[in-house]
Amino acid sequence: MADPEIKSYEPHHESQSAAVTESRPVRAVLMAVAFAFLGVFLLLPLIVVFNEALAKGVGAYTEALSSPDTRSAIRLTLLVAAISVPLNIVFGISAAWAIAKFEFKGKAFLTTLIDLPFSVSPVISGLVYVLLFGAQGLLGGWLKAHGIVILFAVPGIVLATVFVTFPFVARELIPLMQEQGNGDEEAALSLGANGWQTFWYVTLPNVKWGLLYGVLLCNARAMGEFGAVSVVSGHIRGLTNTMPLHVEILYNEYNAVGAFAVASLLAGLALVTLVLKTLLEMRYGAEIAATRGH
Amino acid sequence: MTTAPAQAGWRFRQPSVIPGFGLTLGFSLAYLTLIILIPLSGLVWRSAALGWTDFWAIVADRRTINALEISFGTAFAAAAVNVVFGTLVAWVLVRYRFPGRRIVDAMVDLPFALPTAVAGIALTTLYAPNGWIGKLLMPLGIKVAYTPLGIVIALVFIGLPFVVRTVQPIMEEIDKEVEEAAATLGASRFQIITRILFPGLAPAIVTGFSLAFARGVGEYGSVIFIAGNLPFKSEIAPLLIVIRLEEYNYPAATAIAAIMLALSFLMLLVINLVQSWSRKRYG
């Protein structure tokens, strides 16, 4: 990632010869096309969400948000994120420790496997759990005999969310910890710290901003996941409906204000995520691995 | 990095003073196996259990083939659009200075952060015949919402950051001196872009294309609202999986998922080959 400090020393393009940049009119046209494209594809959808949510006034908006079904959807989304994000944090730290601090056979393969959920359709991520835990599934009969409910209930939703958000923390921490090397940890150990102390007082402070960055992206996806959760949730109103699923139900019932009111909360979450992400990149760019996006 | 004296013979890991290898690797592998590998191999096992004839009957079904064609076709079109505009956006962000550049730069990640269902209903509202953009396109006879074109629009939204974020860092690394040298040797700006800049960016552009394409093929949330979901016309493969599941037709859902996964991996393989070729060609 480019350091903003260095960037500001770049010469301004106005002072450069025409040969290494485009002429003024060409530049203006390119910028206009790029802005028009971004405006139509990114800005307008965002504006529409808030416009539709407030189409019938603030009263209708707050009323839509205070319906019991909406409230329970918000509670479920928070609960699912509160379970699945910490699980993936523990995994991410553990995987990054094993992969970044040690040299072992099959490391590259393991790193590839961690990224696997990103190349699987969300619908398939949900489907695999239906095949495993569903009534006709491999473990379906056993689960039923023991009275354990996973599918069409909170555990299934959590599992599907964990699946789709699986790589976020790990793929942020692995390159960062690899880049930082083992020097600090070896020094701490040679001074008598034990393994846990080394991790807690040396490694964790070194990677805290990168970790926060990964958690931010993981959380945004966990709260917003639709496809995978849709397959395993069963869409029981008030019980297994997360916010994105509730948006779909309200929208299909032609309750535009309701759907967009819930959507506006999710859009707000996305905006907060983007702002925090940008702040982290600006202030701690060097302490965040150079992997941006997805 | 820990450097250990080279030892003769095969060893699983190089010695290190850092503790916790067994614990962290063991936990990571167990978690990976339980959450990802066992469920995914369940899918493979179930589709293998179908037997070749049944599997082929489902995959060769007209509706399945149409859904796959629509998914792969629209994802390809959207990724192609994103290659053009994504590269342009990256260029503007890297090379030009303008007020609010940071905000525009941050905005590019919106599709990563915005839940797909929200994007879906927002785009549908925009492009519906009475929507802000749909209204403008109506007199031109262009219908977007509830047609395959709508699917492409949704996938352009979803895929844009993949292209920009892959191309942008490579663009930032380009050494200005090479351009200056070419310019002093009399190359025109057009020649510099096509013969010097583009070859260096080509592998990144191909990677961005493949990421956007792969994501588009599997995309569900943003598409189902705008697609209209007419069988044979605007029904995507992930939706067909969901429909088969709702019919409790597990074998069909499994087979479509398996063929989707296989096609995606095949595609990524081909793209990887193209990439290594372009790296050698333009290296």
Side-chain angles (χ1 to χ4, degrees):
Chain A
M1 189 162 310
D3 192 304
E5 294 290 312
I6 293 170
K7 253 192 183 161
S8 58
Y9 292 112
E10 270 181 30
H12 286 284
H13 288 270
E14 277 71 23
S15 62
Q16 287 185 347
S17 76
V20 284
T21 186
E22 292 72 46
S23 64
R24 236 169 207 289
V26 173
R27 254 188 293 162
V29 169
L30 290 181
M31 279 169 78
V33 173
F35 291 154
F37 180 82
L38 293 176
V40 168
F41 275 93
L42 300 183
L43 200 56
L44 272 184
L46 201 57
I47 295 171
V48 154
V49 170
F50 293 99
N51 186 59
E52 291 287 318
L54 296 166
K56 295 202 175 118
V58 179
Y61 176 76
T62 48
E63 199 179 314
L65 287 182
S66 52
S67 88
D69 285 347
T70 303
R71 300 237 148 174
S72 86
I74 296 172
R75 267 197 303 275
L76 181 60
T77 290
L78 293 176
L79 174 71
V80 168
I83 301 171
S84 45
V85 175
L87 280 175
N88 280 338
I89 292 176
V90 173
F91 165 74
I93 291 173
S94 159
W97 185 272
I99 289 174
K101 299 287 173 205
F102 301 95
E103 293 299 324
F104 57 91
K105 297 272 190 291
K107 195 158 112 161
F109 183 61
L110 179 59
T111 316
T112 313
L113 281 183
I114 290 174
D115 270 347
L116 200 58
F118 277 155
S119 42
V120 174
S121 170
V123 167
I124 298 179
S125 316
L127 171 74
V128 294
Y129 289 109
V130 175
L131 293 180
L132 210 56
F133 301 123
Q136 308 174 30
L138 298 174
L139 299 173
W142 187 87
L143 288 174
K144 204 167 179 204
H146 290 78
I148 304 169
V149 183
I150 292 182
L151 222 53
F152 312 130
V154 176
I157 299 175
V158 170
L159 277 174
T161 307
V162 168
F163 188 108
V164 293
T165 58
F166 188 84
F168 281 101
V169 178
R171 64 149 40 202
E172 181 57 39
L173 285 184
I174 292 169
L176 179 61
M177 279 165 67
Q178 271 174 339
E179 204 177 296
Q180 288 179 345
N182 288 355
D184 289 0
E185 283 77 10
E186 281 161 0
L189 289 164
S190 72
L191 291 170
N194 65 32
W196 179 249
Q197 286 170 324
T198 307
F199 168 72
W200 193 255
Y201 294 108
V202 177
T203 310
L204 202 56
N206 276 345
V207 300
K208 60 177 184 288
W209 299 117
L211 178 62
L212 188 61
Y213 190 85
V215 169
L216 202 63
L217 300 182
C218 183
N219 179 64
R221 181 73 193 266
M223 290 189 170
E225 178 51 30
F226 179 79
V229 169
S230 161
V231 171
V232 297
S233 111
H235 305 274
I236 309 163
R237 280 183 93 131
L239 277 180
T240 64
N241 249 347
T242 61
M243 286 168 78
L245 298 181
H246 198 51
V247 167
E248 183 197 20
I249 286 191
L250 293 172
Y251 186 81
N252 287 341
E253 287 171 348
Y254 301 102
N255 181 353
V257 170
F260 279 100
V262 180
S264 73
L265 295 183
L266 291 168
L269 169 78
L271 288 177
V272 169
T273 304
L274 284 186
V275 168
L276 292 177
K277 182 174 169 295
T278 309
L279 287 179
L280 279 177
E281 282 167 5
M282 277 166 73
R283 301 225 16 205
Y284 305 103
E287 293 165 60
I288 296 172
T291 50
R292 294 226 288 188
H294 45 122
Chain B
M1 275 303 113
T2 334
T3 44
Q7 299 250 345
W10 192 89
R11 49 170 61 243
F12 173 57
R13 85 172 162 104
Q14 290 175 21
S16 162
V17 293
I18 308 252
F21 178 72
L23 177 73
T24 55
L25 186 71
F27 174 78
S28 303
L29 285 179
Y31 189 81
L32 178 78
T33 309
L34 282 176
I35 300 285
I36 310 289
L37 299 183
I38 290 180
L40 270 184
S41 42
L43 175 72
V44 176
W45 188 79
R46 285 289 285 252
S47 50
L50 275 177
W52 188 245
T53 6
D54 285 354
F55 182 83
W56 192 248
I58 295 162
V59 173
D61 179 52
R62 195 72 232 144
R63 193 168 167 189
T64 311
I65 290 184
N66 275 333
L68 288 169
E69 278 172 1
I70 291 163
S71 273
F72 281 83
T74 52
F76 190 90
V81 170
N82 274 330
V83 158
V84 175
F85 287 96
T87 309
L88 173 66
V89 167
W91 183 258
V92 167
L93 287 174
V94 171
R95 287 302 175 97
Y96 303 158
R97 293 291 168 269
F98 49 90
R101 194 179 62 91
R102 277 242 167 240
I103 296 168
V104 176
D105 192 77
M107 275 285 292
V108 170
D109 279 334
L110 181 72
F112 284 149
L114 194 69
T116 52
V118 177
I121 63 169
L123 289 170
T124 312
T125 306
L126 268 179
Y127 288 93
N130 58 352
W132 291 348
I133 299 178
K135 229 186 303 189
L136 299 177
L137 296 175
M138 219 30 190
L140 306 173
I142 303 170
K143 269 197 75 182
V144 177
Y146 320 121
T147 69
L149 190 56
I151 305 178
V152 175
I153 296 282
L155 296 182
V156 168
F157 173 85
I158 292 298
L160 177 71
F162 288 94
V163 176
V164 178
R165 294 306 183 219
T166 322
V167 175
Q168 198 178 12
I170 309 297
M171 260 180 199
E172 276 166 1
E173 277 171 25
I174 293 177
D175 199 350
K176 272 274 179 63
E177 283 169 22
V178 184
E179 282 170 73
E180 283 161 3
T184 46
L185 293 170
S188 71
R189 186 65 190 154
F190 181 77
Q191 281 175 316
I192 294 174
I193 288 173
T194 52
R195 316 223 12 198
I196 294 174
L197 296 177
F198 180 75
L201 293 174
I205 292 175
V206 174
T207 308
F209 175 89
S210 66
L211 290 173
F213 185 31
R215 174 68 204 266
V217 166
E219 179 56 24
Y220 176 72
S222 61
V223 173
I224 54 163
F225 295 97
I226 201 169
N229 306 327
L230 291 171
F232 308 107
K233 287 210 176 81
S234 57
E235 185 179 67
I236 54 166
L239 177 66
L240 192 56
I241 296 177
V242 172
I243 290 173
R244 294 304 185 218
L245 265 182
E246 280 168 358
E247 294 167 347
Y248 297 102
N249 188 348
Y250 283 24
T254 312
I256 302 168
I259 197 77
M260 265 189 82
L261 277 184
L263 286 174
S264 304
F265 285 134
L266 189 72
M267 201 179 67
L268 286 180
L269 188 74
V270 170
I271 287 165
N272 269 329
L273 290 176
V274 172
Q275 230 177 330
S276 63
W277 172 82
S278 74
R279 228 177 251 132
K280 257 182 232 144
R281 170 85 173 68
Y282 296 114

